[in-house]
Amino acid sequence: AAAQKYPQAISLDDAMFGHMLGPASWGAPDLEPAYLLEASQKLYWPGKRQLRGNIARAQANSAFHAVGEERLQVVQAAKVAYYEYFLAHRRLAVLADSTRLVENFREIAKTKYESAEVEQQDVLLADVELAELERQRLELIRTERVARARINTLLLVAPHYRLPPPPTQLRLMEPLPEAQELQGVALSQRPELAARAARVQAERYSAALAHKEFFPDVEFVGRYDAFWQEEELRPMVGLNVNMPIYKEKRWAAVREANYRTAQEQAALDSQVNELAFEVEQAAQLVQESRSTIAVYQDRLLPTARHSVDSAQASYIAGRLDFLRLIESQRQLLLLQDRYYSVLAEYFERRAALERIVGVPVM
């Protein structure tokens, strides 16, 4: 739509046609019928139409790059929705594993209770824990359905439309380039900056056009005036010229255009400075998530799994009470849940960084 303003801006005004009659002359015995035919065309001072076209083109460029910025936001929204969908599935899988583990604990407790090694309280504690896990499962089912509905909304299909399950694991991407390199890419690729730069250029063209308004426009006129009874006097040519004598309003237009140019330029400079900060912040968040994932993979999760195995062996041997066994299981469930949350957050933060930079970060 913005691109269609250019041919309108450079076009000439419509030619004008006029016709007048002298009714009393028609039928008068000593007069010829009197009438007047007139055509005129307005021509602008050289350069005005070109500047108007340049303004329209710059505004179209701004609109084009604004669409690019919207695309980046849609891409980020789709990625975030997908990673939330992935997280919901992984949390359900972790909960299912934990449920099977507690069911195994319950069977062990039941066997020990039947042999009078422990009290019935251990079996009841297991039942309570299984009920709590079922409550969490219902909550996660709702989370998964909401994540699926968000993706389907972006795909323009019904919210309940079935989707294929996500993978069971996401591979971490390569480490990020240096922040200075990312900032350079962002300055050259971010559509929002290009859109703002186009608006600056449009205001500069507006300022140049405001200066052109000090020069007159010309309207050429051709006329055939049959009110003159002498045929030699009837054909006429001429022109009309506007008189730009009211200077103050034109200087005010120049000042307005200059102020708007300064405003857009200041906004562009501010965006450039803010973009450097946003790239640095987003890159640091990605690096933090990557390091946190390594801590979970290398230290926290192996230790928690070993703690559960050790607690189970100690409970079977009668050296540990059932409550501490359940606590070790809860700790493992919590750590696994947090691990997948951090993993999904890593990819979400990377998607945010790619939107800020303007291109995929490899």
Side-chain angles (χ1 to χ4, degrees):
Q4 301 312 308
K5 293 181 179 179
Y6 176 78
Q8 301 176 59
I10 65 172
S11 176
L12 289 171
D13 292 346
D14 290 339
M16 302 296 292
F17 176 78
H19 181 215
M20 296 182 67
L21 293 175
S25 66
W26 292 74
D30 54 345
L31 294 174
E32 293 187 16
Y35 61 93
L36 181 147
L37 302 175
E38 180 180 278
S40 63
Q41 176 65 63
K42 183 177 181 180
L43 298 179
Y44 292 99
W45 187 267
K48 284 187 178 181
R49 285 197 301 143
Q50 179 182 357
L51 285 171
R52 289 173 180 169
N54 290 343
I55 293 171
R57 274 183 172 167
Q59 292 173 342
N61 287 337
S62 177
F64 173 80
H65 291 296
V67 170
E69 187 67 23
E70 292 291 334
R71 284 197 181 99
L72 289 178
Q73 294 177 8
V74 171
V75 169
Q76 182 189 6
K79 289 182 177 181
V80 169
Y82 178 76
Y83 298 136
E84 289 179 353
Y85 182 62
F86 162 80
L87 176 59
H89 273 259
R90 296 319 306 152
R91 293 177 71 185
L92 281 168
V94 167
L95 196 66
D97 291 340
S98 185
T99 300
R100 286 190 291 269
L101 185 62
V102 175
E103 287 173 346
N104 183 49
F105 291 167
R106 186 185 185 283
E107 289 300 319
I108 295 174
K110 182 179 178 182
T111 301
K112 292 174 72 67
Y113 168 65
E114 290 174 349
S115 61
E117 296 181 45
V118 298
E119 299 292 332
Q120 188 182 14
Q121 181 69 16
D122 289 3
V123 179
L124 297 177
L125 281 174
D127 290 336
V128 171
E129 188 66 18
L130 287 171
E132 172 60 20
L133 292 175
E134 177 61 18
R135 184 199 64 81
Q136 294 180 30
R137 188 183 72 86
L138 295 175
E139 182 179 315
L140 289 178
I141 288 175
R142 185 259 305 165
T143 302
E144 187 274 340
R145 289 174 178 172
V146 170
R148 183 176 59 192
R150 184 176 291 111
I151 294 176
N152 286 333
T153 299
L154 290 169
L155 296 175
L156 303 180
V157 297
H160 60 272
Y161 190 81
R162 295 185 63 84
L163 294 175
T168 57
Q169 189 59 267
L170 295 176
R171 184 178 60 86
L172 296 185
M173 300 181 182
E174 294 297 323
L176 294 176
E178 294 295 328
Q180 292 80 1
E181 181 180 345
L182 291 174
Q183 291 168 7
V185 174
L187 291 176
S188 63
Q189 297 294 328
R190 181 69 181 270
E192 188 177 12
L193 292 183
R196 180 69 68 175
R199 290 198 288 272
V200 171
Q201 191 61 50
E203 294 299 341
R204 288 175 178 165
Y205 287 136
S206 296
L209 180 60
H211 281 93
K212 288 284 186 180
E213 293 300 332
F214 285 94
F215 300 98
D217 301 321
V218 179
E219 182 182 20
F220 290 94
V221 181
R223 178 182 300 167
Y224 185 83
D225 190 350
F227 283 83
W228 290 90
Q229 297 300 301
E230 297 84 354
E231 290 191 8
E232 293 80 2
L233 300 178
R234 292 177 180 178
M236 300 180 184
V237 293
L239 56 85
N240 296 319
V241 180
N242 68 301
M243 304 292 290
I245 59 176
Y246 301 108
K247 303 292 186 181
E248 184 53 34
K249 74 172 186 177
R250 290 173 169 81
W251 280 118
V254 170
R255 292 192 295 271
E256 177 188 6
N258 289 336
Y259 292 147
R260 291 187 182 279
T261 302
Q263 178 189 19
E264 291 293 343
Q265 184 63 53
L268 176 59
D269 295 340
S270 176
Q271 277 188 315
V272 170
N273 292 332
E274 184 66 22
L275 185 61
F277 165 74
E278 289 179 357
V279 170
E280 180 69 27
Q281 182 184 47
Q284 291 300 324
L285 290 173
V286 172
Q287 296 287 14
E288 177 194 3
S289 294
R290 187 182 183 92
S291 299
T292 304
I293 289 170
V295 172
Y296 273 97
Q297 291 177 338
D298 299 338
R299 298 171 59 186
L300 290 175
L301 290 178
T303 302
R305 292 190 182 100
H306 179 71
S307 175
V308 171
D309 293 340
S310 176
Q312 181 175 340
S314 296
Y315 178 74
I316 293 174
R319 298 191 301 270
L320 189 74
D321 62 74
F322 192 78
L323 183 59
R324 293 180 62 185
L325 177 61
I326 289 295
E327 283 297 330
S328 66
Q329 172 270 330
R330 289 175 180 171
Q331 185 68 19
L332 176 60
L333 174 62
L334 178 63
L335 290 175
Q336 288 177 319
D337 188 88
R338 287 179 177 175
Y339 164 71
Y340 284 112
S341 295
V342 171
L343 184 62
E345 185 179 55
Y346 164 79
F347 286 98
E348 290 175 7
R349 287 177 171 181
R350 192 153 186 136
L353 176 63
E354 291 178 346
R355 181 191 63 81
I356 294 171
V357 173
V359 294
V361 179
M362 300 299 180

